[in-house]
Amino acid sequence: QSALTQPASVSGSPGQSITISCTGTSSDVGGYSYVSWYQQHPGKAPKLIIYDVSNRPSGVSNRFSGSKSGNTASLTISGLQAEDEADYYCNSYTSSSTLVFGGGTKLTVL
Amino acid sequence: EVQLLESGGGLVQPGGSLRLSCAASGFTFSSYAMSWVRQAPGKGLEWVSGISDSGGSTYYADSVKGRFTISRDNSKNTLYLQMNSLRAEDTAVYYCAKGRTPRGGIVVGGYWGQGTLVTVSS
């Protein structure tokens, strides 16, 4: 049950786009369409922003999009805004019938 | 409105036990799998355990297998996590989280509680 691999940090300027990768194996990310992404601000509970690889829950901005290729999932945030500065986590279902999170990525809006 | 309210956290000595509860409301509790997810201070999220809607199937992370037990009481709309043989590395905020779809698996959705802090220290 190794954690999924995410970059520790990414940054971008307001209005730019950034992409956060999430790399697993064929036993998790590559094997299922159950990849989710969460946004977490300091001291707050995580907020679901993408589910099932590329679906957005109601109320989540369309600036957030998700995709997957092979064993790597990606979260793209377009038109960066100051409020997007937060930690982001990917999550996947696994062949062991468990869940696994990525190590998290800190997004800094410059 | 979906609400998940955790309780039972606190300070416990290494080797001790603690039982967390998560009171659910605003949805048909017995139709959804549930999970516990934890976050150590300054660290990332870690899935801990999950349980099917009926309670008949349970799942654990390797880090807690054999020490933690997840259960639920659908008549009381409550999820539990019994934690035994606690270690310093179990110190974390523990969140309960609702499964994303009814009668679905343990894949977590968008409803989480606010968390309860467990501190394991002498």
Side-chain angles (χ1 to χ4, degrees):
Chain A
Q1 291 181 350
S2 299
L4 305 175
T5 300
Q6 298 181 231
S9 63
V10 298
S11 62
S13 300
Q16 287 185 333
S17 294
I18 62 96
T19 297
I20 299 172
S21 61
C22 169
T23 301
T25 69
S26 58
S27 296
D28 38 63
V29 174
Y32 302 92
S33 294
Y34 299 126
V35 176
S36 302
W37 289 90
Y38 291 86
Q39 176 193 63
Q40 187 181 34
H41 287 105
K44 301 292 188 181
K47 173 187 176 183
L48 181 68
I49 55 174
I50 296 288
Y51 67 93
D52 293 354
V53 176
S54 60
N55 294 287
R56 275 189 312 276
S58 174
V60 172
S61 171
N62 59 9
R63 297 186 299 105
F64 294 91
S65 62
S67 63
K68 189 182 83 166
S69 177
N71 296 336
T72 298
S74 299
L75 171 71
T76 297
I77 309 174
S78 59
L80 267 180
Q81 300 179 0
E83 67 209 48
D84 298 333
E85 186 161 295
D87 294 324
Y88 291 83
Y89 297 91
C90 61
N91 172 253
S92 175
Y93 183 73
T94 83
S95 60
S96 301
S97 300
T98 61
L99 299 175
V100 62
F101 281 93
T105 298
K106 181 176 181 59
L107 170 61
T108 300
V109 180
L110 302 170
Chain B
E1 178 192 5
V2 173
Q3 290 194 337
L4 299 169
L5 184 61
E6 303 94 339
S7 61
L11 175 64
V12 61
Q13 293 188 338
S17 298
L18 212 55
R19 187 175 86 154
L20 306 183
S21 299
C22 172
S25 61
F27 64 101
T28 305
F29 181 71
S30 60
S31 293
Y32 289 84
M34 299 290 295
S35 281
W36 289 97
V37 178
R38 69 184 180 183
Q39 186 169 35
K43 302 297 184 181
L45 300 172
E46 180 187 14
W47 177 84
V48 172
S49 182
I51 186 167
S52 63
D53 50 12
S54 67
S57 296
T58 58
Y59 311 92
Y60 299 93
D62 288 343
S63 58
V64 306
K65 199 173 296 182
R67 299 188 299 122
F68 291 10
T69 302
I70 190 171
S71 62
R72 64 191 297 161
D73 186 335
N74 285 346
S75 68
K76 295 183 178 179
N77 290 349
T78 302
L79 174 71
Y80 303 100
L81 185 68
Q82 177 67 43
M83 304 186 295
N84 299 330
S85 303
L86 282 162
R87 307 165 179 168
E89 54 265 37
D90 295 318
T91 294
V93 172
Y94 285 74
Y95 297 98
C96 68
K98 174 179 168 286
R100 196 172 64 76
T101 58
R103 303 297 178 195
I106 61 168
V107 174
V108 173
Y111 292 101
W112 296 48
Q114 285 305 302
T116 186
L117 176 63
V118 172
T119 303
V120 184
S121 175
S122 55

